[in-house]
Amino acid sequence: MHFAIYGSRHQDEFIGAIADFLRGLARDGHTAVMHTKLYRYLLHCAPGALECVRRVTDGDDFTADYAVSLGGDGTFLRTAAWIGDKEIPVIGVNTGHLGFLASLGAADLPSLARLLAAGDFALERRSIVSVGAPGLTGWPYAVNEVTVTRAESASMLHVRVTIDSIPLADYRADGLIVSTPTGSTAYNLSVGGPIVQPSAPVLVLSPIAAHSLSMRPLVVADTSRLSLRCSGRGTTMRLSLDGRAVQLPMGTTVTIERAPFALLAVQAAGHNFADTLRSKLQWG
């Protein structure tokens, strides 16, 4: 098998497990490419473990049978952006904090290749949203959420939303979150939005500190095409895609729709969403 490996450089606690994993890949005849930031870190901490690994930069093209994300949820999102539209199945190995997106822990790393070779896993297809806006550069997709917020002004933001070209609502709030089901347990959850099963074909609109009690979170079909136009006292607004933020002129129209490709998330055999919620949210 051929792996693509991306990870956080804050791995001191787990360096032994990572090194054992990489040595096991070489021993069993597997190969890997690794993002240059993690490669440089391991070259300093565990140089002997990189025998089967080739370093790649952001601009390099590559293929792989599986992508491995070493870190927390933020690392998982960066891994998804790194592999782009290739639809390489991604395994999240949690060496971070909450880890909603990772189904494995560092202790599972040594047996990961054997687990995949045996087919002892499930594959979940997670929707991604495509974002369009004049002046938006870089990777125009989000796995978790798209957020519009005020930039330099403390006054509220006015977000006019249309759905499939039909006027939906005028949100007066500090901002608005459009979340995928995967992102429902992220920023969306913190503002009172609903938790959504990852396989549900929906998007969630959740206002941030709405200035009207009638403005509630709303669930719509992910076949919808949303258009957001912001106005307010400031001259700029902030558009964020999974935390990657850019400032755009106030009045910019942002379009959001389901991307033509998906994120393929590898889950351990027997994994289910209910267990994740009970574990991560301590539901008992």
Side-chain angles (χ1 to χ4, degrees):
M1 286 182 290
H2 186 53
F3 293 85
I5 304 173
Y6 188 100
S8 163
R9 288 167 291 175
H10 304 286
Q11 304 282 4
D12 292 355
E13 182 181 350
F14 307 100
I15 195 68
I18 294 171
D20 288 345
F21 166 61
L22 295 175
R23 292 190 185 100
L25 293 185
R27 182 185 63 246
D28 296 336
H30 304 301
T31 55
V33 295
M34 182 180 290
H35 189 273
T36 184
K37 292 181 180 178
L38 179 61
Y39 187 93
R40 288 199 302 263
Y41 169 77
L42 293 177
L43 193 61
H44 173 72
C45 298
L50 297 172
E51 176 186 347
C52 68
V53 179
R54 177 172 63 89
R55 178 174 59 179
V56 293
T57 64
D58 287 323
D60 293 335
D61 192 23
F62 62 88
T63 60
D65 298 305
Y66 297 97
V68 180
S69 170
L70 302 174
D73 286 351
T75 302
F76 190 96
L77 296 175
R78 289 188 289 274
T79 304
W82 182 51
I83 65 173
D85 60 359
K86 297 181 178 71
E87 293 198 340
I88 300 170
V90 182
I91 306 107
V93 179
N94 185 29
T95 60
H97 298 293
L98 190 58
F100 255 106
L101 298 176
S103 65
L104 300 178
D108 300 309
L109 266 174
S111 59
L112 177 57
R114 293 192 296 274
L115 177 151
L116 294 173
D120 193 19
F121 63 92
L123 200 60
E124 292 183 353
R125 190 175 182 87
R126 305 286 188 93
S127 60
I128 294 174
V129 290
S130 173
V131 184
L136 178 62
T137 59
W139 178 245
Y141 300 95
V143 174
N144 264 5
E145 75 275 312
V146 180
T147 306
V148 291
T149 55
R150 56 197 184 184
E152 80 279 12
S153 172
S155 62
M156 69 178 179
L157 196 66
H158 181 185
V159 187
R160 179 160 293 177
V161 179
T162 64
I163 179 169
D164 297 326
S165 302
I166 300 171
L168 174 65
D170 290 344
Y171 290 90
R172 291 175 173 82
D174 288 353
L176 180 68
I177 301 167
V178 179
S179 169
T180 67
T182 298
S184 70
T185 51
Y187 197 1
N188 168 76
L189 181 61
S190 73
V191 301
I195 297 174
V196 180
Q197 189 169 3
S199 59
V202 300
L203 297 173
V204 181
L205 286 75
S206 296
I208 304 169
H211 288 238
S212 170
L213 290 177
S214 67
M215 287 297 179
R216 314 303 301 170
L218 173 68
V219 179
V220 301
D222 70 359
T223 53
S224 306
R225 188 174 192 269
L226 302 173
S227 176
L228 284 56
R229 183 176 178 84
C230 299
S231 60
R233 292 182 181 175
T235 59
T236 60
M237 52 171 272
R238 179 175 288 107
L239 172 66
S240 299
L241 287 67
D242 288 345
R244 308 184 308 275
V246 61
Q247 289 197 21
L248 299 174
M250 192 70 78
T252 299
T253 296
V254 178
T255 60
I256 302 170
E257 58 189 332
R258 188 178 63 197
F261 59 92
L263 169 68
L264 304 181
V266 175
Q267 303 290 354
H271 168 272
N272 63 74
F273 188 51
D275 287 342
T276 299
L277 292 180
R278 287 200 306 273
S279 172
K280 302 299 183 181
L281 300 181
Q282 301 180 9
W283 283 0

